[in-house]
Amino acid sequence: MKEKKWKKGERLESTASTGRSDFIRDIISEDLKINKNDGRVHTRFPPEPNGYLHIGHAKSICLNFEIANENKEGLCNLRFDDTNPIKEEAEYVDSIKEDVYWLGFDWGEREYYASDYFETLYKYAVQLIKNTKAYVCDLSADEMREYRGTLTEPGKDSPYRARSIEENLDLFERMRAGEFKDGSRTLRAKIDMSSGNINMRDPVIYRIQRAVHHRTGDKWCIYPMYDFAHCVSDSIEGITHSLCTLEFEDHRPLYDWFLDELAIHHPQQIEFARLNITHTVLSKRKLNTLVNQGHVTGWDDPRMPTLSGLRRRGYTPEAIKNFCDRIGVARRNSAVDMALLEHCVREDLNKRAPRYMAVLNPLKVIIDNYPEGQVEEMDAVNNPEDESMGKRKVPFSRELYIELHDFMEDPPKKFFRLAPGREVRLRYAYFITCKDVVKNEKGDIIELHCTYDPQTKGGDAPDKRKVKATLHWVSAAHSREAEVRLYDHLFSVPEPGKDFIDHLNPDSLRVLTSCRIEPALLEADMCQFERLGYFCLDPQETFVKRKPVFNRTVSLRDKWGKIQKKAGR
RNA sequence: UGGGGUGUGGUGAAGUGGUAUCACGGCAGAUUCUGGUUCUGCUUUCAGGGGUUCGAAUCCUCUCACCCCAGCCA
């Protein structure tokens, strides 16, 4: 019989003070009202240490930890679901802890491992045998598949299903003792081989597997399966609400069955839709393929949606958490627009990133009427959004660099940057007018000759005349060379799908090696390059390349870019 | 007639019998020493049919579409 654990019903107050409301928080509010679990709220984030965390995990981390934080005495455990020694490694445990901590969540002393419960799990398995609810099965993997039936046909009972309790007890003990070959026997739950839910067709709960476990070494040669280990681990830890993704929905009857048969504390499993984001992939398998086939440099490649990749790209924990809060929690499969993630970083970085000037594609500008050898220190605001971030000095001299794209010899209508005969402002410095364009034999523009108006020092004209553009610049002699890496979507289509490799964006990385940065910038790690975007220093690459290497976190919103794109079509 | 889910603007979410709401995106404008930020306005939606009701995204019913499940993975 179907039983809905969350009845659609009267309007519920949202949890705590956040004002946020979603179906999970509604369930918890209702549970609190009837004093279920003595009013406790206890969640857990249960990663398997077999890979790196990505932003999809962040959704789950935020959900679990924030729900705990929203409730008085609410707790959230960090539990490693380490029941498969073949796939799991201590290295992943460390990276997962680092990522969760980086996001800003605290699991206190509650760092647990399913492997801590192996002994207890074994005892519970014995209890199931004693209750005639589990049996040792000698079917091979292939045979078991045959016996299982199909989606539309029921399965058949295993010939070993009717073994006596004594025989099962003996065999199971000897499985543990290592008397049998890997894969030769399993312990199975005795449920219903004709169930429409394939998970209930006598699922395996223990398999024989001689492998070194990252924590228990070679102490065990039998390991519990997820369905058994997970619900019991939740129960042992006193979890009240066990939140997981939609694909475990079919496992809930099994989750409930084990706990009912064992008659132990019974958390409620609640499923929600996993996160998808456009223009990227969020499955361990696909991310793994990207790494293994060399489409990216590693799990922390700044184009990867992994937490380590996003961190290296310059995303802040605040931006990611804000994103996770905004996408909501629901039960329908969906794909969030990458633009929302980008909006969230811009919003955060706009408030906190100090501004600097950097020229990505330098074009030399010579101010003909500026005294040779003269240097002036211009006052520049570090962050117009936050006065407390103060000011700095930027050296100005006769020879400068501006952005190549800020000049056009024959500008179209809506281009209002520098052009022959046109006057623009150099930010925090002077108005300049372009007088002459110097080209090489190939016809490439290599140098501009301009004049400046000494009256406009600081950037304002005494006669109040206006200019239509303000350009960023650096002093040629005072600026330093840097490498800048510009990132774009990893995939050129919103939903890469099964053939995702075919849709890789060839321009997801562009490396610019002769950029010029203002001297003060050397001290910044995260910053805005004015008019360009948000960037962060890549410490590893800076060390390797022996010059500053910056990653572009995200570009600024770009109206001119949009106009150009439209014109291009 | 295998089982389990899900359908609300371009996208993600709220809404649980009483004017469909919010955010992102897009478009237009204002402000601006960043074509940034900020501000304003516009844009477009209840999968479909039938029923109940004074009144339906919401209740009933039929249909359609999509997602998940046949690991000794989690």
Side-chain angles (χ1 to χ4, degrees):
Chain A
M1 207 169 66
K2 238 194 304 190
E3 185 196 353
K4 269 210 170 177
K5 298 263 173 166
W6 55 93
K7 288 198 203 82
K8 290 194 170 186
E10 60 198 83
R11 185 87 187 86
L12 295 158
E13 284 163 37
S14 59
T15 314
S17 54
T18 61
R20 270 212 303 271
S21 167
D22 55 62
F23 78 99
I24 294 177
R25 279 176 248 249
D26 285 350
I27 293 168
I28 293 173
S29 299
E30 195 175 54
D31 289 346
L32 252 19
K33 255 189 217 164
I34 60 172
N35 205 37
K36 192 175 169 183
N37 300 304
D38 305 317
R40 290 187 309 115
V41 174
H42 200 154
T43 56
R44 100 270 94 110
F45 172 61
E48 183 189 13
N50 71 340
Y52 294 87
L53 259 30
H54 54 68
I55 192 164
H57 294 109
K59 175 181 179 179
S60 176
I61 294 167
C62 289
L63 221 210
N64 279 292
F65 278 94
E66 284 173 3
I67 281 178
N69 291 156
E70 285 161 15
N71 288 282
K72 258 181 285 169
E73 327 242 336
L75 295 171
C76 180
N77 296 355
L78 175 61
R79 179 173 72 236
F80 291 95
D81 223 334
D82 55 350
T83 56
N84 186 359
I86 290 173
K87 291 187 174 177
E88 296 147 7
E89 291 170 30
E91 175 201 342
Y92 295 124
V93 170
D94 296 336
S95 82
I96 289 168
K97 281 160 64 177
E98 185 187 354
D99 287 346
V100 176
Y101 186 76
W102 176 72
L103 272 181
F105 295 108
D106 184 9
W107 55 91
E109 301 300 301
R110 296 177 313 286
E111 175 179 327
Y112 300 127
Y113 295 80
S115 54
D116 291 345
Y117 312 134
F118 280 172
E119 198 62 51
T120 310
L121 256 355
Y122 180 83
K123 281 182 195 144
Y124 281 135
V126 167
Q127 188 183 322
L128 286 176
I129 294 172
K130 286 179 177 167
N131 295 351
T132 72
K133 297 296 182 184
Y135 62 97
V136 173
C137 182
D138 301 2
L139 253 26
S140 70
D142 286 342
E143 288 166 331
M144 200 180 289
R145 187 158 39 244
E146 278 172 40
Y147 274 79
R148 187 155 38 227
T150 68
L151 290 178
T152 52
E153 297 156 21
K156 293 179 298 192
D157 283 2
S158 161
Y160 307 97
R161 201 174 199 259
R163 289 219 252 234
S164 69
I165 293 175
E166 291 67 31
E167 190 181 4
N168 281 320
L169 251 18
D170 175 59
L171 254 15
F172 187 47
E173 198 179 317
R174 288 162 60 195
M175 275 171 66
R176 177 181 183 168
E179 288 191 27
F180 310 121
K181 281 196 315 228
D182 282 16
S184 62
R185 280 182 228 259
T186 56
L187 183 72
R188 293 226 258 166
K190 193 189 285 187
I191 309 180
D192 178 8
M193 288 306 292
S194 65
S195 172
N197 181 347
I198 290 179
N199 296 303
M200 300 300 271
R201 318 236 263 231
D202 289 11
V204 171
I205 54 186
Y206 265 93
R207 76 279 213 184
I208 304 172
Q209 202 167 71
R210 285 173 180 76
V212 177
H213 187 279
H214 74 111
R215 302 197 94 221
T216 60
D218 58 2
K219 182 176 178 197
W220 294 85
C221 65
I222 57 171
Y223 291 94
M225 300 291 291
Y226 164 85
D227 287 301
F228 182 60
H230 199 90
C231 61
V232 171
S233 299
D234 279 349
S235 180
I236 290 170
E237 293 176 17
I239 300 303
T240 57
H241 303 270
S242 179
L243 314 182
C244 62
T245 45
L246 245 32
E247 66 268 27
F248 292 102
E249 205 159 8
D250 291 341
H251 295 245
R252 190 173 66 231
L254 186 49
Y255 184 103
D256 293 335
W257 186 90
F258 280 125
L259 297 178
D260 286 343
E261 291 300 336
L262 262 12
I264 53 179
H265 168 66
H266 195 148
Q268 178 179 356
Q269 173 177 311
I270 305 168
E271 312 85 16
F272 61 92
R274 64 189 309 155
L275 174 64
N276 294 295
I277 301 180
T278 62
H279 300 283
T280 190
V281 290
L282 287 181
S283 83
K284 259 181 207 171
R285 203 202 99 238
K286 288 178 180 173
L287 294 173
N288 204 24
T289 304
L290 292 174
V291 174
N292 291 339
Q293 295 185 0
H295 299 111
V296 294
T297 57
W299 286 93
D300 67 343
D301 185 301
R303 291 167 293 181
M304 291 282 273
T306 50
L307 294 180
S308 50
L310 290 165
R311 179 163 60 230
R312 200 171 146 201
R313 173 87 168 250
Y315 274 74
T316 57
E318 289 75 14
I320 293 172
K321 284 193 283 191
N322 188 240
F323 172 76
C324 291
D325 290 345
R326 287 203 201 197
I327 56 176
V329 187
R331 289 174 63 84
R332 87 181 80 158
N333 291 311
S334 59
V336 177
D337 198 329
M338 178 66 92
L340 180 61
L341 216 209
E342 295 177 340
H343 168 82
C344 290
V345 236
R346 287 196 187 102
E347 186 180 60
D348 189 39
L349 261 20
N350 177 49
K351 283 180 296 191
R352 26 202 298 209
R355 318 276 129 130
Y356 290 97
M357 292 196 283
V359 175
L360 266 30
N361 297 287
L363 172 62
K364 173 80 72 77
V365 168
I366 296 165
I367 313 291
D368 290 328
N369 61 338
Y370 192 83
E372 240 168 291
Q374 179 174 307
V375 178
E376 287 179 277
E377 298 282 322
M378 302 308 200
D379 280 316
V381 173
N382 286 332
N383 188 344
E385 304 294 319
D386 182 358
E387 217 175 290
S388 74
M389 291 177 74
K391 292 182 174 181
R392 68 183 188 286
K393 300 285 188 187
V394 187
F396 182 90
S397 64
R398 189 176 135 95
E399 294 197 9
L400 312 168
Y401 289 112
I402 65 164
E403 206 68 61
L404 184 63
H405 309 297
D406 280 340
F407 175 81
M408 279 184 105
E409 198 174 12
D410 187 17
K413 258 255 163 64
K414 289 183 179 170
F415 183 89
F416 45 83
R417 274 108 98 144
L418 196 60
R422 195 182 283 181
E423 183 174 53
V424 297
R425 171 170 38 234
L426 294 181
R427 188 141 159 95
Y428 301 127
Y430 292 102
F431 286 11
I432 60 166
T433 305
C434 178
K435 295 296 188 186
D436 198 15
V437 182
V438 180
K439 297 181 185 176
N440 63 14
E441 317 81 53
K442 285 190 291 180
D444 301 326
I445 298 167
I446 54 167
E447 201 172 277
L448 258 32
H449 284 265
C450 299
T451 56
Y452 83 117
D453 177 356
Q455 298 291 303
T456 57
K457 182 169 181 182
D460 283 306
D463 63 3
K464 300 290 179 209
R465 75 177 187 276
K466 300 284 183 196
V467 287
K468 285 190 85 175
T470 300
L471 309 187
H472 61 275
W473 53 275
V474 294
S475 164
H478 302 84
S479 63
R480 264 192 63 177
E481 188 175 277
E483 178 172 320
V484 173
R485 299 176 179 183
L486 304 179
Y487 301 103
D488 197 355
H489 297 156
L490 231 195
F491 295 93
S492 47
V493 296
E495 301 193 32
K498 286 192 170 64
D499 305 318
F500 61 106
I501 296 296
D502 298 343
H503 301 294
L504 278 162
N505 176 8
D507 297 319
S508 62
L509 167 63
R510 273 164 55 218
V511 180
L512 303 174
T513 52
S514 351
C515 309
R516 309 294 307 187
I517 59 177
E518 70 165 90
L521 180 44
L522 295 173
E523 294 156 29
D525 50 345
M526 157 242 283
C527 62
Q528 181 192 106
F529 291 175
E530 293 224 24
R531 305 209 302 133
L532 297 172
Y534 297 97
F535 294 77
C536 71
L537 194 72
D538 191 315
Q540 302 154 239
E541 293 299 297
T542 293
F543 180 78
V544 173
K545 298 273 179 169
R546 295 191 181 170
K547 68 174 172 186
V549 175
F550 288 89
N551 292 321
R552 183 173 69 188
T553 309
V554 67
S555 67
L556 254 30
R557 287 182 67 211
D558 180 13
K559 222 176 224 174
W560 170 240
K562 275 178 197 164
I563 293 169
Q564 275 181 309
K565 247 187 189 172
K566 269 190 226 160
R569 269 176 214 151

